[in-house]
Amino acid sequence: MVAMDAILEMRGITKEFPGVKALDNVNLVVKRGEIRALCGENGAGKSTLMKVLSGVYPHGSYDGEILYKGKPMAFRKITDSEEQGIVIIHQELALVPHMSIAENIFLGNEIAKNGVIDRHETNRRTAELLAKVGLRESPETKVGELGMGKQQLIEIAKALSKKVELLILDEPTSSLNEHDSAALLRLLDSFREQGMTAIMISHKLNEISEVCDSLTVLRDGATVSHHQGMVPESQIIKDMVGRSMDDRYPPREPKIGEVIMQVRDWTVAEEGGDGRLLVDNAKFDLKRGEVLGIAGLMGAGRTELAMSMFGRSVGVFRKGSVKINGKDADLSTVSKAIKAGLAYVTEDRKSLGLVLEDSIRRNIPLANLAGVARYGVIDHHKEGKVAQDYRKAINIRAPSIDQATMNLSGGNQQKVVLAKWLFSEPEILILDEPTRGIDVGAKYEIYTIIRDLAAAGKSIIVISSEMPELLGITDRIIVMNEGRLVGEMPTSEATQERIMSVIIKSGHDLTEEDITPEEIEAETAHV
Amino acid sequence: MSDTTTDRGSDTFGFIRRNMRQYGILFALVIIMAFFQVVTGGILFRPVNLTNLFLQNSHIVIMAVGMLLIIVAGHIDLSVGSVAAFVGALAAIMIVKMGLPVPLVVVLSLVAGALIGAAQGYWIAYWKIPSFIVTLAGMLVFRGLTMWALQGQSIGPFPKEFQMIASGFIPDVFGPDKPNTLSLILGWGAALVILWLQVRNRKRQEAVGIADEPFAFFVGKNALIFVALAWMTWALANFRGLPNVFIVMAVLVALYSFISERTTLGRRIYAIGGNEKAAKLSGINVERITFLTFVNMGMLAALAGLVVSARLNSATPKAGVGFELDVIAAVFIGGASMSGGVGTVIGAIVGAFIMGVMNNGMSILGIGIDYQQVIKGLVLMAAVIFDVSNKRKS
């Protein structure tokens, strides 16, 4: 039975990846003409669900059924769903910067006769579409010359060109400023009045309450709750994070020593573009033997903070200083940062951490080749011994150290990257999403390694989007949002709700009134 | 003994299958040699032909070791033929026109090559301009400069001293009678040293339990290499002795194998080609190392240019045309990966000799240059297809 006014009904959707159940019996009913919000933590399964709906994951690769306008659908590719009027706009825009607005809008769907593109008709239709989304630009303007807000509008115009009836937006305002966000939300509002249905994935609860009619919360790949109309934010937050904390973390007795690192005024701007600040006046201390967590949503600037400190590997350095053991540290190149005692274990082990076709043995010494060489000549036997030792010490499960790292599981790859950085003998380890995409058992092993390192007097910074993980293994948590440190708390006083509300409040404060950074600091100081 | 070999199967056949990429190319060379030995009625392995084989392919081998590093680092160098020709022209002008002493000219030529490599490497490493484009420009520029420097004429002949680089043989300090005793000592000595190094390495591997290669295979492979080297030395020593360029090649191959496999510099080059971002985040100075591989390539192209002009006994505007393609083909036939990070010096040398033996064998058979090109092209394609399908299986 389909509800009378439902345009979309997804029933019992289950999607598995090797080793992970990304979606577990998810149900979603969307009414015609409403804007439905989809909320959840990173990795809750929101994007996966939308990929199932739009045919990115073809019919047959998941269980469950999709009813659209009352009829069962079996999309095999994106164009199948687009033919039915379901269009998805991804978080990362899919526009070709060197092409004009008109060329982008009709890319893959060109207005042509016998393969010859009709430029005038294309431009005419583009102008119409641009008028609908309220963008005053020539159809021949190159997309790369426009800001993010305008590009987002072009994506929407592109969706309109496909006769969209159900528009899916994946965090549409995440890279927009306040003004553009507000304009976009107004546009969605006007589309609703014309009868369009939309699903909006968002973290920003204020935006949700502004435009959405109803709300679905996903957690760990399952639907937790559906709400109609206004819902208290506290309820939404609780639904988003409400996991039980069991003994998924090794017990630990922190032995925290003196301050080892002091970061002051750390400011980094985006490369190119309009120089948006990725990290804005970051200031924090790290103590010996301490595990410091950095919480925040995706794009909050946590990775940028870490990588900019590690040899200015991201963005453009504006200002700031780092003292290690009371002395100014030169972190201007990666090798200097390593010498200063830093190590950064990347969140993206495949593209930034490993030489995938190389063996475990060859990957481990890469950040400290001098450690296995004399006068620039590598001692293969020492290298083999180092690899064997780490394989045993942190339990890298592989048939041999000559195994190519591309053939290892995610957890074992992560351990190889970890071994590489342990071998560089750092004082301060920055672990960026150290347990992303690895199974529960391997997670526990990684937590144990972190605990043992801290016990051995190393200082550790853990960046994680999994709040239970931060609560389970850290001593202190700082919270980042939009490039700024917006809160700090001892882990003993932290809860997921509290972290989430710090993030959300920090977003609110900026939208509602212009608060100076000093005021935020003053506010967060008493939090 | 660790649990290394038990679950992977230590039988010889399984080992060969897993290491097809490494050994397939060596098998191919052996098969191609055997084939031409038979169809040419034994001419291929005659001492005089064997000597020619080395002389005619020395420049390819010399450049292949440099190109291997370039390709492993994820780049390409299309300019080497033009650079070789240009440096050959410079050397001819310095020797024939200006009358400078040969040793000085050799040094100046190598410096010139290194500077050319630096000029190209600078844009590639520090400005991130694709190497294909920079060296394509270099290919045109240095071809043009060669023509300009030579005014469209050939310059020659060279003094004997210079010709010796390419066509000389090592002198026999033990008297003129055959076989050439010094050649025998060097050749057999090298064969013994290689054998000893292999045995020592094997023993060390066994000691820590990481010996992967089946024993029978280890014995067979090394026996084959040892016998081949010993026999070849004997054949050459009974003709005119080891050619000078053979010594140059042998030293380069040994040196560059060592650099690529045993030094931190070599390891960094592989890491850059394998994953540049990961290498950079590991504190590796990607720019400087990329730059240095091009400086090195320029120097080796210069050396090849000297060898070629010494062999032809003149510098000509057309020298070195198409060398870059032979060199690049040798490296890819030898198992290097277009995307970087994979390849060995030995593989590249074997690749160069596969091309060389085919050229030589087909010429003996009187096959026209037209068919030769077609066949070489198909062999290159086959080698790469073999490589890709092999990769896909694993």
Side-chain angles (χ1 to χ4, degrees):
Chain A
M1 272 298 288
V2 182
M4 279 302 290
D5 53 352
I7 186 169
L8 172 76
E9 189 168 357
M10 298 180 84
R11 285 189 195 155
I13 305 290
T14 298
K15 168 81 187 164
E16 286 184 56
F17 294 109
V20 194
K21 215 174 207 179
L23 294 175
D24 189 2
N25 194 23
V26 171
N27 296 298
L28 178 67
V29 181
V30 180
K31 288 183 211 150
R32 191 182 290 274
E34 73 165 344
I35 299 181
R36 165 67 57 98
L38 202 54
C39 294
E41 281 191 293
N42 301 332
K46 300 162 298 190
S47 295
T48 310
L49 185 66
M50 290 304 106
K51 282 178 180 165
V52 165
L53 173 57
S54 60
V56 173
Y57 299 131
H59 181 75
S61 72
Y62 56 87
D63 294 328
E65 57 176 347
I66 299 173
L67 297 176
Y68 180 64
K69 296 183 187 168
K71 281 183 289 230
M73 294 287 150
F75 302 131
R76 305 204 150 271
K77 49 188 189 300
I78 300 179
T79 44
D80 290 353
S81 61
E82 286 182 349
E83 265 170 33
Q84 298 292 327
I86 302 175
V87 179
I88 184 164
I89 298 177
H90 294 280
Q91 191 173 0
E92 274 118 38
L93 301 182
L95 298 171
V96 185
H98 300 295
M99 290 168 74
S100 72
I101 296 175
E103 284 167 330
N104 266 291
I105 286 180
F106 290 100
L107 188 61
N109 193 18
E110 291 83 359
I111 304 169
K113 217 179 263 172
N114 305 323
V116 180
I117 291 175
D118 184 343
R119 277 231 318 269
H120 298 292
E121 179 65 9
T122 305
N123 284 343
R124 194 186 61 75
R125 297 247 313 256
T126 303
E128 274 178 24
L129 292 166
L130 292 182
K132 276 190 193 166
V133 298
L135 182 61
R136 256 172 285 167
E137 290 286 346
S138 156
E140 295 191 342
T141 306
K142 297 262 184 293
V143 162
E145 294 166 11
L146 303 174
M148 289 306 292
K150 288 181 175 174
Q151 292 195 17
Q152 187 68 262
L153 292 177
I154 292 167
E155 279 280 11
I156 291 173
K158 188 174 172 181
L160 293 179
S161 80
K162 292 170 184 164
K163 310 261 178 289
V164 57
E165 289 181 65
L166 174 59
L167 181 64
I168 303 162
L169 300 128
D170 191 349
E171 302 209 32
T173 62
S174 64
S175 51
L176 302 191
N177 62 30
E178 299 308 327
H179 180 259
D180 288 345
S181 299
L184 184 78
L185 295 177
R186 276 198 301 277
L187 189 65
L188 285 180
D189 211 23
S190 72
F191 285 162
R192 173 172 45 194
E193 278 160 25
Q194 294 160 29
M196 192 201 285
T197 315
I199 300 174
M200 184 168 109
I201 297 177
S202 181
H203 283 303
K204 299 187 180 170
L205 299 187
N206 55 329
E207 291 180 356
I208 290 171
S209 59
E210 205 175 312
V211 295
C212 295
D213 303 293
S214 58
L215 171 86
T216 295
V217 180
L218 286 184
R219 188 206 308 150
D220 293 340
T223 21
V224 180
S225 58
H226 297 287
H227 300 286
Q228 286 292 332
M230 289 292 285
V231 191
E233 285 184 358
S234 61
Q235 180 63 44
I236 301 175
I237 292 171
K238 206 168 167 201
D239 286 348
M240 278 166 68
V241 297
R243 252 173 303 211
S244 65
M245 292 265 285
D246 34 32
D247 49 350
R248 281 189 292 157
Y249 307 99
R252 159 157 183 261
E253 278 175 29
K255 276 188 296 184
I256 297 175
E258 74 286 0
V259 169
I260 181 166
M261 181 167 78
Q262 294 163 294
V263 178
R264 293 291 177 272
D265 308 325
W266 197 259
T267 303
V268 178
E270 198 175 26
E271 213 160 345
D274 46 5
R276 188 170 66 95
L277 291 185
L278 298 170
V279 181
D280 189 354
N281 273 301
K283 172 191 169 202
F284 66 94
D285 289 348
L286 180 66
K287 300 192 181 83
R288 193 178 293 282
E290 183 181 38
V291 182
L292 172 68
I294 305 184
L297 300 170
M298 262 182 218
R302 298 167 300 167
T303 297
E304 288 78 4
L305 169 65
M307 285 184 76
S308 61
M309 281 167 51
F310 194 63
R312 299 186 187 169
S313 298
V314 92
V316 181
F317 176 77
R318 283 281 167 80
K319 63 173 176 146
S321 66
V322 174
K323 279 189 176 159
I324 292 176
N325 285 324
K327 277 178 289 206
D328 276 316
D330 181 1
L331 306 179
S332 58
T333 69
V334 173
S335 58
K336 281 176 184 165
I338 293 173
K339 270 196 203 97
L342 245 61
Y344 169 71
V345 181
T346 170
E347 62 175 332
D348 187 352
R349 55 185 167 261
K350 282 190 177 164
S351 67
L352 301 179
L354 293 168
V355 181
L356 283 170
E357 60 245 311
D358 266 354
S359 60
I360 297 170
R361 171 218 287 263
R362 286 169 72 95
N363 267 288
I364 287 178
L366 204 54
N368 181 18
L369 281 171
V372 293
R374 230 166 36 149
Y375 307 115
V377 178
I378 291 174
D379 180 342
H380 280 194
H381 301 282
K382 186 166 179 193
E383 182 182 70
K385 194 177 170 316
V386 167
Q388 286 288 21
D389 288 350
Y390 276 108
R391 181 175 155 217
K392 286 205 190 82
I394 62 176
N395 194 20
I396 300 169
R397 274 182 292 269
S400 104
I401 54 169
D402 291 312
Q403 182 83 8
T405 49
M406 68 171 97
N407 298 328
L408 301 177
S409 72
N412 286 307
Q413 285 181 342
Q414 186 66 16
K415 287 182 195 166
V416 174
V417 181
L418 209 50
K420 169 170 123 179
W421 288 108
L422 293 180
F423 186 60
S424 76
E425 294 175 350
E427 284 305 306
I428 298 156
L429 247 106
I430 308 174
L431 307 176
D432 197 349
E433 303 285 0
T435 64
R436 172 178 289 173
I438 69 181
D439 61 72
V440 179
K443 277 184 182 177
Y444 191 88
E445 288 177 315
I446 302 264
Y447 299 144
T448 310
I449 296 166
I450 292 172
R451 176 191 70 177
D452 294 346
L453 287 170
K458 309 279 186 200
S459 306
I460 294 160
I461 297 175
V462 178
I463 297 171
S464 178
S465 297
E466 289 189 39
M467 279 190 272
E469 173 173 291
L470 289 181
L471 296 174
I473 63 171
T474 64
D475 301 310
R476 186 161 57 100
I477 294 174
I478 53 183
V479 184
M480 277 189 87
N481 195 28
E482 291 169 10
R484 292 170 299 121
L485 301 190
V486 293
E488 176 177 344
M489 58 194 91
T491 304
S492 53
E493 295 170 17
T495 61
Q496 300 185 48
E497 287 81 2
R498 193 166 160 203
I499 295 171
M500 213 22 134
S501 71
V502 168
I503 294 172
I504 285 161
K505 285 218 179 76
S506 74
H508 273 206
D509 293 340
L510 272 195
T511 51
E512 281 156 14
E513 59 223 56
D514 283 329
I515 294 183
T516 62
E518 286 77 11
E519 282 171 302
I520 288 171
E521 236 179 52
E523 189 191 333
T524 50
H526 70 73
V527 167
Chain B
M1 197 59 204
S2 72
D3 55 348
T4 325
T5 50
T6 46
D7 48 351
R8 298 176 56 180
S10 52
D11 57 307
T12 307
F13 184 69
F15 176 79
I16 294 171
R17 216 180 34 214
R18 279 196 307 277
N19 292 280
M20 235 5 217
R21 193 176 189 141
Q22 244 177 314
Y23 295 107
I25 190 68
L26 199 59
F27 289 138
L29 178 63
V30 171
I31 288 165
I32 288 170
M33 280 179 160
F35 172 77
F36 281 110
Q37 174 70 357
V38 172
V39 295
T40 59
I43 295 175
L44 187 76
F45 282 154
R46 284 199 189 148
V48 56
N49 193 53
L50 212 52
T51 305
N52 275 336
L53 202 56
F54 285 118
L55 295 183
Q56 284 165 2
N57 290 292
S58 53
H59 60 282
I60 301 293
V61 171
I62 289 167
M63 289 193 281
V65 292
M67 189 67 80
L68 184 270
L69 296 184
I70 297 264
I71 287 174
V72 162
H75 293 280
I76 195 98
D77 190 341
L78 300 173
S79 71
V80 291
S82 297
V83 173
F86 179 62
V87 173
L90 283 185
I93 292 167
M94 287 191 279
I95 294 173
V96 177
K97 295 262 167 86
M98 297 162 67
L100 295 178
V102 170
L104 177 66
V105 169
V106 169
V107 171
L108 289 177
S109 299
L110 294 181
V111 170
L115 287 176
I116 291 170
Q120 301 192 93
Y122 171 74
W123 299 108
I124 295 162
Y126 295 99
W127 285 65
K128 313 281 180 212
I129 300 175
S131 55
F132 189 94
I133 294 171
V134 172
T135 60
L136 183 63
M139 177 177 167
L140 296 169
V141 167
F142 293 107
R143 178 60 57 195
L145 287 176
T146 308
M147 294 175 182
W148 169 79
L150 294 173
Q151 302 290 315
Q153 309 281 309
S154 293
I155 297 182
F158 289 110
K160 226 45 277 89
E161 198 186 353
F162 186 71
Q163 289 179 42
M164 290 295 283
I165 294 174
S167 49
F169 296 83
I170 62 164
D172 193 347
V173 290
F174 303 101
D177 50 319
K178 288 186 181 172
N180 182 314
T181 323
L182 182 60
S183 294
L184 276 186
I185 291 172
L186 285 176
W188 289 355
L192 279 171
V193 168
I194 289 171
L195 189 64
W196 175 71
L197 285 173
Q198 290 287 336
V199 170
R200 191 183 68 157
N201 194 40
R202 172 85 188 182
K203 276 193 179 145
R204 284 198 183 171
Q205 283 181 348
E206 278 172 350
V208 283
I210 53 170
D212 190 26
E213 203 174 31
F215 188 69
F217 193 81
F218 170 79
V219 170
K221 182 186 80 177
N222 284 293
L224 181 74
I225 291 172
F226 182 78
V227 169
L229 277 176
W231 176 82
M232 191 188 71
T233 305
W234 177 253
L236 292 178
N238 275 304
F239 180 56
R240 298 179 62 183
L242 294 177
N244 288 337
V245 284
F246 182 86
I247 304 292
V248 172
M249 283 192 302
V251 169
L252 286 179
V253 171
L255 180 67
Y256 280 86
S257 286
F258 180 78
I259 289 173
S260 69
E261 283 164 30
R262 293 293 306 276
T263 65
T264 56
L265 176 65
R267 180 63 59 81
R268 287 176 180 149
I269 294 172
Y270 279 84
I272 290 170
N275 187 344
E276 186 182 322
K277 288 180 194 160
K280 205 166 173 60
L281 276 179
S282 299
I284 292 172
N285 192 334
V286 173
E287 288 82 9
R288 189 169 65 198
I289 290 175
T290 305
F291 176 73
L292 288 177
T293 57
F294 277 92
V295 172
N296 174 64
M297 183 73 251
M299 198 177 69
L300 289 172
L303 178 59
L306 293 177
V307 168
V308 170
S309 47
R311 187 168 75 233
L312 299 176
N313 200 14
S314 72
T316 72
K318 283 272 162 209
V321 172
F323 280 6
E324 59 282 339
L325 301 180
D326 282 343
V327 173
I328 292 166
V331 173
F332 285 133
I333 288 175
S337 153
M338 188 75 214
S339 53
V342 176
T344 61
V345 170
I346 299 295
I349 303 310
V350 172
F353 277 111
I354 284 180
M355 297 285 278
V357 169
M358 288 199 329
N359 278 337
N360 182 274
M362 289 191 290
S363 298
I364 296 171
L365 291 176
I367 294 174
I369 191 80
D370 42 3
Y371 289 113
Q372 288 197 22
Q373 299 268 3
V374 173
I375 292 169
K376 281 196 298 187
L378 291 177
V379 166
L380 171 62
M381 201 60 213
V384 175
I385 291 170
F386 172 78
D387 216 41
V388 169
S389 70
N390 219 4
K391 214 176 182 180
R392 214 172 274 172
K393 262 183 257 159
S394 71

